[in-house]
Amino acid sequence: MNETLKRTISGAVYIALLLTSILFSTESFIILFGVFLIITIYEFCNLVSLNKVFSILFGTLLYSVIILVSHYNKQTTLFLTNLYNSKLNLSTNIQQLDLILLAVTIVISIKCILFLFYDNVQKVSISSKYLYLLGYITLPFVFIIKISFGANDYNPKIIIGLFVLIWTNDTFAYLVGKSIGKHKLFERISPKKTIEGFIGGVVFAAFAGFLISKLYIQPNPDFSSKSILIWTIIALIASIFGTIGDLIESKFKRIAGVKDSGAIMPGHGGILDRLDSVIFVAPVIFLFYQILYYVS
């Protein structure tokens, strides 16, 4: 089987699995991304030489507890009450919890961005590795789940729209960069990325955001102009921070001396290679939602 066919088949399987889990139910979406989290942690541990067993247990436990407390509070309380035959109170101020988690994630994300400019750093300290495990890997998966709930209930259109924006940005950044790219964006980390490609990705993603709002989200007429603005801003966030997320993963791979984070997807690399953009974008999108909520 040639490389192009292998890449096409594995990519199609990935997209089909992703869309099926998102559209089938909330639980299938949460479970799939829980599995993705485990694989991503495994791949990240390989990149930075971190203890896999502890890291996977830590990440999956944190992910599970936050999701259960945030979105299945009543069911979890009832289950534990029946299990231990005692009254338990798991009521939590979800907004306060979200803000704390967001603050932690944003601080570590800033550390990740600064990490890009540490040219002389070829080793990552143990404390930094665990910080990255927390705020660069685990908590972003929590925010992927949280942004899919939007203002009220689970809305698959939100997360599908976000993935479409990231795929659009990646595709057109590559095509424009390959066609007319001359000026390197961040050559020492990713030699193939160009400024022209980056701008092309942003422009086409913004257009995709417009189309998603008009044709896919289809808001009511009174909210139409606001919806277009919101999805255009989301497209800009996805393009800019998605590119940064890709560069950060490239920095980890460069230090580790590997091309891909894993080999689970033939022709594409690992799950971290596929999700490096969305996991860096998700907390910023969630922050944008919070700003919208408080302003409106």
Side-chain angles (χ1 to χ4, degrees):
M1 186 183 298
N2 65 54
E3 191 64 26
T4 302
L5 182 59
K6 190 188 298 182
R7 184 179 175 87
T8 301
I9 292 173
S10 63
V13 170
Y14 167 71
I15 292 173
L17 180 63
L18 191 67
L19 293 180
T20 301
S21 72
I22 292 171
L23 294 171
F24 185 74
S25 71
T26 313
E27 288 73 26
S28 62
F29 171 58
I30 291 171
I31 291 169
L32 178 66
F33 272 82
V35 173
F36 281 172
L37 173 61
I38 292 171
I39 299 170
T40 301
I41 291 174
Y42 179 86
E43 293 173 348
F44 179 72
C45 288
N46 280 335
L47 289 180
V48 300
S49 300
L50 206 55
N51 183 281
K52 296 182 182 69
V53 175
F54 172 80
S55 299
I56 290 172
L57 288 174
F58 169 78
T60 52
L61 183 62
L62 184 63
Y63 173 86
S64 302
V65 168
I66 294 173
I67 298 303
L68 288 173
V69 168
S70 298
H71 302 293
Y72 297 91
N73 195 289
K74 290 182 180 178
Q75 297 92 324
T76 305
T77 302
L78 182 62
F79 173 78
L80 292 176
T81 298
N82 292 334
L83 182 65
Y84 294 106
N85 197 26
S86 61
K87 290 186 177 180
L88 295 173
N89 183 11
L90 296 180
S91 60
T92 307
N93 187 325
I94 304 301
Q95 284 188 334
Q96 195 173 58
L97 174 64
D98 288 346
L99 290 176
I100 292 171
L101 296 175
L102 183 60
V104 171
T105 309
I106 294 298
V107 168
I108 297 173
S109 296
I110 293 171
K111 178 177 170 61
C112 287
I113 294 172
L114 294 175
F115 177 58
L116 284 176
F117 297 93
Y118 295 162
D119 296 337
N120 59 338
V121 175
Q122 293 303 315
K123 288 187 178 181
V124 183
S125 67
I126 292 294
S127 59
S128 291
K129 289 176 184 179
Y130 281 108
L131 279 177
Y132 293 138
L133 174 67
L134 173 65
Y136 170 62
I137 301 293
T138 305
L139 290 181
F141 274 85
V142 172
F143 287 114
I144 289 172
I145 304 300
K146 285 184 174 292
I147 61 177
S148 67
F149 280 82
N152 299 304
D153 296 325
Y154 176 65
N155 185 351
K157 288 186 175 183
I158 294 174
I159 200 68
I160 290 176
L162 178 57
F163 271 100
V164 168
L165 291 177
I166 288 174
W167 292 337
T168 301
N169 175 71
D170 288 349
T171 301
F172 284 97
Y174 170 76
L175 293 175
V176 173
K178 189 176 181 180
S179 302
I180 61 172
K182 293 181 180 179
H183 303 88
K184 300 299 181 182
L185 180 66
F186 212 124
E187 189 171 8
R188 64 178 179 271
I189 300 297
S190 186
K192 293 183 179 180
K193 280 187 169 53
T194 63
I195 294 174
E196 292 85 357
F198 170 72
I199 293 172
V202 171
V203 170
F204 279 96
F207 181 62
F210 169 80
L211 293 179
I212 287 170
S213 176
K214 292 290 286 184
L215 304 178
Y216 186 54
I217 302 298
Q218 295 180 329
N220 63 63
D222 294 335
F223 191 67
S224 180
S225 59
K226 286 185 178 179
S227 176
I228 290 171
L229 177 61
I230 288 170
W231 275 95
T232 302
I233 293 173
I234 290 174
L236 295 176
I237 292 172
S239 298
I240 295 168
F241 287 92
T243 302
I244 295 172
D246 184 67
L247 287 170
I248 290 168
E249 199 225 354
S250 294
K251 177 71 179 270
F252 282 116
K253 289 191 292 187
R254 185 167 288 271
I255 292 175
V258 297
K259 181 184 175 183
D260 299 315
S261 65
I264 195 170
M265 292 180 61
H268 289 273
I271 295 297
L272 181 56
D273 293 317
R274 296 300 91 214
L275 296 179
D276 57 356
S277 295
V278 73
I279 62 174
F280 202 75
V281 166
V284 186
I285 298 293
F286 188 80
L287 174 61
F288 175 60
Y289 276 172
Q290 298 308 301
I291 293 171
L292 279 180
Y293 175 79
Y294 285 110
V295 168
S296 60

